[in-house]
Amino acid sequence: MAERAAKRLCCRPGYGSTCRPDQRAGAGAGAPTAESPESLLDIAARRVAEKWPFQRVEERFERIPEPVQRRIVYWSFPRSEREICMYSSFGSGTEEPGGPESGDETRLPFRRGVALLEGGCVDNVLQVGFHLSGTVREPATPSEPELLCNVSVSFDRCKITAVTCGCGNKDIFYCAHVVALSLYRVRSPEQVKLRLPISETLFQMNRDQLQKLVQYLITVHHTEVLPTAQKLADEILSQNSEINQVHGAPDPTAGASVDDDNCWHLDEEQVQEQVKLFLSQGGYHGSGKQLNLLFSKVREMLKMRDSNGARMLTLITEQFMGDPRLALWRQQGTTMTDKYRQLWDELGALWMCIVLNPHCKADQKTGWLRQLRRWNGVDVCPLEDGNQGSSQLSNITNAIPRGHNANPDSPQRTVFTRAMEACDLHWQDAHLQRILTEDRYVDRCRHDNPDLFDGRGWPLWHEHVPTACARVDALRSHGYPKEALRLAVAVVNTLRGQQRKQLEFFRTHKKEVLHKGMTSVTNLEGWVGHPLDPVGTLFSTLTETETDAVLDEGETPAALAAEVALIGLGQQRAMPDGLYAQEKVCRNEEQLLAKLQQVEPDDVLVNVFRKQAAILLDAGPYSGLGELLYRESVPMHTFAKYLFTSLLPHDAELAYKIALRAMRLPVLESSVTSGDLSRSHHHMVSVVANRYPRWFTLSHIESQQCELASAMLTAAKGDARKLQTVLESIQKNIHSSSHIFKLAQDAFKIATMMDGLPDLTLLKVSLELGLQVMRMTLSTLNWRRREMVRWLVTCATEVGVFALDSIMQSWFTLFTPTEATSVVASSIMSNSTIVRLHVDSRQQQNLANSARTLALQCATKDPQNCALSALTLCEKDHVAFETAYQIVLDAASTGMSYTQLFTIARYMEPRGYPMRAYKLATLAMTHLNLSYNQDTHPAINDVLWACGLSHSLGKNELAAVIPLVVKSVKCATVLSDILRRCTLTAPSMMALHSRRNTAKLMSLDKAPLRHLLDATIGAYINTTHSRLTHISPRHYGEFIEFLSKARETFLMAHDGHVQFTQFIDNLKQIYKGKKKLMMLVRERFG
């Protein structure tokens, strides 16, 4: 910490020549004791020490007695620990600083300083004029040795103006050693040696004493001061030196001059370095938290009316404007992070507070405006709505009137625009001044000034609402809580009056307004999510007050705060442009509701809720809960859910009216009626996604709508009328299938959570919602579709047999054919479902009939995917089974694949239908085509099974299937496998009475095996030539083994040996260029 070099020139003593030596040498008395009253000298000296620089005192009075000087010097040191705490911690600035946000409190400089003081580590404390010095000993720790620090503090008019410490601390705040020394002086002033400024002491010395003083000083500190002393001596001895042109000499202990700024010491360099460091970390390592703490420190300074608040904010802003990421984001066309954007918002709000300081000087405001204009003119300055680089309107509607301080050439509003416009505002209005200064400022006549007072005579303040609330915030921020409260009450009364007028206007012109409809939103500027947070400001001002003196009878600050929050949250307002602005609306709404939930409910608060709920329902286009709703208005779901839960115990009918009215989401509704559910949800969403401006928070909004509906369903359990009303509202207003499915699941859980009988009415609501989900997702892709179908069957099972029968009869509007057969009907007809339902035989038969009807319809519509399930469901009914089988046969020649046909054929065989299985297998063979190299094809097992089935049925069946096999299968190994299986046993046929006829082994020289043998040999020959076309040496061994298998097949023919020999000879002749391979062939086959 470097001490500020502000040393006033002193050339005369500050006491009269008539003062006696003993008066000058007397010890300075401390503060008056509790037993004696304060002297007039102390009273006057304290006032002078607070307000006047000591130079002005010297200039004003020719002679100042030494006792007077001593008392002025004594009272010039700060007497409160609050400011010292503020400048040495991130805490609140109170007598108990710190908090959860401050981290480890024991590590705060203020806490450490207090510990050093209480540990007796402060010593050698001396006050010379306006300069305090001493030594502070830092005790040794296991990792650090003992440290002795020389500390000095300069002060003026009860403010520490400069600090120096030998610890070398580099931080924004005072180190613990400065804190310890300062607190020592505050807590034990009588133990501090007090001396007048050193210039006064030097004036009392003669030439010899002065020479002796200088020489002793040089002797003690010769290495440090000797060069400086010699340089000063040379300049003084030089007649024309600059030092001889100045009257007097500087005295660092003589206090401040008239021109010096009277402010607490703030290390500007460290502020800049720390902010730059935090910004460079890009939100990591808690840098965002640290920057927010710095902003809180600025507000703390403003609240204590410390001029360093604006000074510190200027330093912070300069670093923010110099952040290199701004230019990078602008160049890349990307937006800044959300947390970083919030820091900029806080920066703009703080500047708004500073320029609205009710007691700032004109030159200060001019200087701030100059700075704001300079920052505003920088290309990378962030925009107010967060949409960097997008085209924006030149001004927001109903904003502060654009005065000469706004830049007319800039079409975009930056974070500083509002502060620049606020520089045009003033506090001189007589009505405003009376509101701020008088607790009981009322109009006794009540009718003479309707624009200034309401019907009760309470004052009103008509101004752009966010601007009026910015005044309230400025008053709070600058330490005027009573004035802020008075103005806040006036603003709230004005809002209530405006709300009443809007309600009366709508009631008067209701037919006309309803006939015209909503083509635009009435309130073009929303208060929730506004950059100035007007509603939050009023709420905080009213809830933080400790008195209700300015309120009417029966009103409480909490009730008034709740009312203004309800007015703001219920305001109908258009959804703003851009992702950040829309997220800010949601975030601000949640913050206000969180504040409301902290207010303790009482009868007064309940009455406020009832009154405001009724007004919001009847306020027409002015309310987000009114009858008329603009298509792009901000939805009320989150707000309405809070109102619903708050009003439900006290006025259930009103609570349901609010919640049902708030379920609307017109932005998702197309030109068709909102009740038309035939339109695709995805189409509706795409309409919203492609419009401008886009609703980036639509998913969040829909989830809040779902939560509101869930709250109503939960509360309406057991009330059939209310449940039906809620169901109709859900079906009309919710367009997301996933959210309706969630509501259906929630209703199901609520209905079945009790140990006793389930709530049948709520179960039916759950089923209706599930049916709607089925209809909405029937023609669209949904990854949860299978889960939804299974859940619907479960829900219908809980409702009863009638529900299950109903969904099977209307399956075509709910399910795909595959879902209806494989999931729905199969699950319903399963043993577990039948047992759970406790149905009688008649009911079971009805369900089975419905399932079989469904199965046949599905098989007709989609035989490829439903035929097998249909056959399974129709097993117990012969007519239905025959019908299903015929459907399969009809579809086999057109749309069904060999895999599906083989599967159904395999299903038929074990159920006693071998001929039908054979028929389906032959049909499957006509669709199959296996090439020579597909020896691992998945259909090979089906082909082998089909041939085995034909062989077992008899010679005729085998004779019929072999041509199909020869035509479809070109793979030699598969054909040889079939051939061997057919030659191992004789073909047989099941007799009518299950007696197997005797038969001989089939001859390979006769049909049908001769045809198969020739085809197999031909396949081997063709495969051999195909393989030899692109064979590589590493496959020679595999090829030889293949020829060995081929020889085995050749030898099955009566002239097979001759054929194989000719075949080998042909190979040798054709492929004689492959010498190594042919050599291997000769070695193996001759």
Side-chain angles (χ1 to χ4, degrees), residues 51-85:
K51 303 295 183 183
W52 284 25
F54 195 66
Q55 182 182 4
R56 178 167 294 176
V57 177
E58 290 181 326
E59 293 174 352
R60 175 66 177 81
F61 303 100
E62 183 179 353
R63 294 182 179 180
I64 307 173
E66 185 175 319
V68 176
Q69 289 192 57
R70 286 182 175 276
R71 300 317 294 162
I72 292 175
V73 168
Y74 174 86
W75 288 112
S76 291
F77 196 85
R79 296 184 288 277
S80 171
E81 297 183 11
R82 186 179 180 187
E83 288 83 358
I84 298 172
C85 176

Side-chain angles (χ1 to χ4, degrees), residues 298-357:
V298 172
R299 286 195 177 272
E300 186 182 343
M301 292 176 176
L302 295 180
K303 193 170 185 178
M304 296 177 69
R305 305 173 195 176
D306 190 334
S307 61
N308 277 338
R311 184 174 157 212
M312 186 170 180
L313 187 61
T314 301
L315 298 172
I316 294 173
T317 307
E318 289 287 1
Q319 295 304 311
F320 266 72
M321 291 300 298
D323 190 346
R325 290 180 296 172
L326 292 177
L328 181 63
W329 286 329
R330 184 179 182 86
Q331 182 181 3
Q332 296 176 345
T334 56
T335 57
M336 61 181 68
T337 61
D338 190 59
K339 290 183 178 180
Y340 190 57
R341 175 70 227 187
Q342 291 178 40
L343 293 174
W344 275 102
D345 282 352
E346 179 66 10
L347 196 66
L350 282 171
W351 274 115
M352 191 80 174
C353 286
I354 286 177
V355 300
L356 280 178
N357 182 354

Side-chain angles (χ1 to χ4, degrees), residues 745-969:
Q745 290 178 307
D746 290 346
F748 183 79
K749 290 177 183 177
I750 297 168
T752 57
M753 66 171 50
M754 302 301 292
D755 295 333
L757 294 175
D759 187 323
L760 188 59
T761 307
L762 192 53
L763 271 178
K764 289 181 178 179
V765 170
S766 175
L767 179 63
E768 283 297 322
L769 292 174
L771 294 176
Q772 182 176 348
V773 172
M774 292 297 102
R775 288 189 287 267
M776 292 174 69
T777 58
L778 179 59
S779 58
T780 59
L781 295 176
N782 192 305
W783 64 274
R784 299 184 66 188
R785 172 76 183 178
R786 190 170 184 84
E787 175 195 355
M788 292 173 176
V789 173
R790 290 188 178 280
W791 177 88
L792 183 71
V793 174
T794 302
C795 181
T797 304
E798 289 293 330
V799 175
V801 176
F802 173 79
L804 293 173
D805 191 52
S806 176
I807 65 174
M808 284 196 293
Q809 290 184 13
S810 59
W811 71 267
F812 49 87
T813 64
L814 304 171
F815 314 107
T816 64
T818 305
E819 292 169 345
T821 54
S822 63
V823 180
V824 179
S826 300
S827 300
I828 293 174
M829 298 309 299
S830 64
N831 291 332
S832 59
T833 304
I834 298 299
V835 171
R836 181 174 179 79
L837 288 172
H838 302 292
V839 294
D840 55 29
S841 58
R842 182 183 60 82
Q843 291 174 322
Q844 186 173 354
Q845 184 61 36
N846 289 338
L847 285 177
N849 290 336
S850 297
R852 286 191 286 268
T853 303
L854 175 151
L856 294 175
Q857 291 172 348
C858 293
T860 303
K861 190 172 184 180
D862 185 8
Q864 295 90 342
N865 298 311
C866 301
L868 181 60
S869 298
L871 288 167
T872 305
L873 290 168
C874 296
E875 278 182 356
K876 296 181 180 180
D877 187 280
H878 178 71
V879 175
F881 188 81
E882 289 297 325
T883 305
Y885 174 67
Q886 189 59 46
I887 291 172
V888 175
L889 291 180
D890 294 341
S893 60
T894 55
M896 298 190 72
S897 67
Y898 64 85
T899 304
Q900 295 165 335
L901 290 171
F902 273 131
T903 303
I904 298 173
R906 282 177 177 265
Y907 161 82
M908 287 290 189
E909 184 190 19
R911 283 163 177 76
Y913 299 106
M915 291 306 297
R916 294 184 179 183
Y918 166 76
K919 175 65 174 176
L920 292 172
T922 58
L923 290 173
M925 292 293 294
T926 61
H927 298 291
L928 181 65
N929 184 20
L930 285 180
S931 62
Y932 74 93
N933 57 352
Q934 290 183 298
D935 51 358
T936 58
H937 195 280
I940 291 175
N941 288 330
D942 290 324
V943 173
L944 295 174
W945 169 82
C947 292
L949 175 65
S950 304
H951 189 265
S952 66
L953 290 175
K955 182 178 180 180
N956 294 335
E957 285 75 11
L958 182 61
V961 83
I962 283 179
L964 296 176
V965 172
V966 171
K967 182 179 179 180
S968 301
V969 181

Side-chain angles (χ1 to χ4, degrees), residues 68-113:
V68 176
Q69 289 192 57
R70 286 182 175 276
R71 300 317 294 162
I72 292 175
V73 168
Y74 174 86
W75 288 112
S76 291
F77 196 85
R79 296 184 288 277
S80 171
E81 297 183 11
R82 186 179 180 187
E83 288 83 358
I84 298 172
C85 176
M86 181 175 70
Y87 280 93
S88 57
S89 66
F90 271 123
S92 61
T94 61
E95 296 302 325
E96 294 296 328
E101 72 275 12
S102 303
D104 185 2
E105 289 188 4
T106 61
R107 300 307 304 161
L108 292 174
F110 184 81
R111 291 295 186 191
R112 290 174 51 219

Side-chain angles (χ1 to χ4, degrees), residues 215-263:
Q215 290 184 216
Y216 267 100
L217 182 62
I218 293 173
T219 301
V220 175
H221 303 286
H222 65 278
T223 57
E224 292 88 355
V225 304
L226 182 57
T228 303
Q230 186 60 56
K231 178 182 177 183
L232 292 175
D234 293 341
E235 291 186 9
I236 291 173
L237 293 175
S238 175
Q239 294 296 327
N240 298 324
S241 64
E242 183 179 352
I243 199 172
N244 286 323
Q245 306 302 318
V246 180
H247 185 58
D251 181 2
T253 67
S257 66
V258 177
D259 299 329
D260 286 346
D261 292 332
N262 181 228
C263 59

Side-chain angles (χ1 to χ4, degrees), residues 432-450:
L432 176 60
Q433 285 299 316
R434 293 196 66 183
I435 291 175
L436 298 180
T437 56
E438 298 181 22
D439 270 340
R440 291 292 176 180
Y441 175 41
V442 295
D443 180 20
R444 303 298 178 187
C445 299
R446 300 192 179 186
H447 301 291
D448 293 345
N449 299 297

Side-chain angles (χ1 to χ4, degrees), residues 990-1003:
M990 298 297 295
L992 293 176
H993 302 287
S994 300
R995 290 184 292 111
R996 186 177 296 275
N997 293 337
T998 60
K1000 297 180 180 180
L1001 293 175
M1002 296 180 68
S1003 172

